[in-house]
């Protein structure tokens, strides 16, 4: 089966998610749209419920704007719990 992230539909969906995004949904710091694509601070789109766990690849309710580094750090193989976006607690900068 083809990875949905290799499709035209994903590129359009990604643009839509990032269009009005300003801050990472995980750490709450600003997204850097001038950052190199794979840098930690570059914008990325995170699947709240990972594709490997049955998450919908193009559903707006399963997508959020994040930093590339924040998204990569919570990958499916890392054993972190998956919390819905509305229930996720904001990160404190204490």
């Amino acid at each position: 089966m083809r990875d949905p992230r290799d499709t035209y539909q994903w590129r359009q969906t990604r643009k839509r998610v990032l269009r009005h995004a300003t801050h990472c949904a995980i750490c709450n710091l600003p997204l850097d749209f001038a950052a190199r694509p794979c840098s930690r601070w570059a914008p990325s789109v995170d699947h709240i419920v990972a594709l490997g766990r049955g998450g919908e690849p193009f559903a707006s309710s399963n997508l959020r704007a994040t930093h590339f580094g924040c998204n990569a750090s919570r990958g499916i193989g890392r054993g972190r719990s998956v919390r819905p976006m509305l229930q996720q607690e904001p990160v404190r900068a204490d």
Side-chain angles (χ1 to χ4, degrees):
M1 178 181 209
R2 185 176 180 187
D3 186 337
R5 292 168 294 192
D6 291 335
T7 65
Y8 174 78
Q9 184 178 0
W10 172 251
R11 289 189 297 277
Q12 296 305 307
T13 301
R14 184 180 187 282
K15 283 181 191 177
R16 182 177 38 81
V17 171
L18 294 176
R19 183 173 294 133
H20 300 292
T22 58
H23 289 74
C24 175
I26 296 174
C27 73
N28 247 358
L29 294 174
L31 296 169
D32 183 357
F33 286 89
R36 293 174 59 198
C38 290
S39 82
R40 171 167 173 56
W41 304 107
S44 176
V45 175
D46 176 43
H47 288 91
I48 299 166
V49 177
L51 298 179
R53 292 195 174 147
E56 293 292 325
F58 307 112
S60 296
S61 60
N62 191 40
L63 302 171
R64 60 186 175 176
T66 64
H67 291 117
F68 178 80
C70 293
N71 190 357
S73 71
R74 71 174 296 277
I76 190 169
R78 307 238 191 300
R80 299 211 177 170
S81 65
V82 177
R83 294 183 286 176
M85 187 163 62
L86 297 176
Q87 295 177 358
Q88 191 165 26
E89 301 163 17
V91 175
R92 289 188 139 100
D94 295 45

